Amino acid sequence: MMDVQQKWDAIYSKRQSEKPGVSTVLEQNQHLLPKTGLALDLACGLGGNSLFLAEKGLKVESWDISSVAIEQLKVNAGKVSLDIHAQQRDVIADPPATAVYDVIVVSHFLVRDMAPVIVDALKSGGLLFYQTFCRNKVNEIGPNTPDFLLDDNELLHMFSGLNVRVYREESVLGQLESGWRDQAMLVAEKA
């Protein structure tokens, strides 16, 4: 864990002055969020999604392996008086419990073996908002290692036990200078 933590601590140390952004999947589909409930921002980074969820009235837990990212999230949440339970946590070694969350958001984090754990952590009727990078990219953004890139429609297969509400993956089809490229997004509901 220490090598991974040190890597991400170094990355987030350089990005502390950045305003954390909200993932496209969450921003474009916020109308699907429940009015109340408990949300988990898994591998939250600087916590843009966490801040957004808390502003929408949800109770929020935010987990990341980087202590630097978590401390910055706490500072940012305090500045706007949002109550976010942020903790440094290795989500692979210490995954979420079963049937706890109404919403789980995952953005730019891909560990395929975590898919069943994520599904199990959702309550019945819970929503998963997931967005990450694909192998078929137009631009050189995101990781280059295949382990961290989705194959075509892989996100659909990973979460095939959920009811798909939104899916988007444009790949390298059509006019490459237009559209939403390089990533896949999914919003899915647990029955």
Side-chain angles (χ1 to χ4, degrees), residues 40 42-43 63 89-106 109 111-124 126-128 130 157-162 190:
L40 172 62
L42 188 74
W63 302 350
R89 184 166 172 165
D90 181 340
V91 300
I92 299 167
D94 191 10
T98 301
V100 174
Y101 298 99
D102 300 289
V103 174
I104 297 177
V105 178
V106 183
F109 175 78
V111 176
R112 290 164 176 86
D113 294 343
M114 289 285 298
V117 174
I118 292 168
V119 171
D120 287 346
L122 285 169
K123 292 179 181 177
S124 179
L127 292 173
L128 172 64
Y130 204 118
H157 298 292
M158 286 172 54
F159 296 102
S160 62
L162 300 177
K190 187 172 183 178

Side-chain angles (χ1 to χ4, degrees), residues 15 35 45 67 99 146:
R15 295 173 54 192
K35 293 194 184 296
S67 60

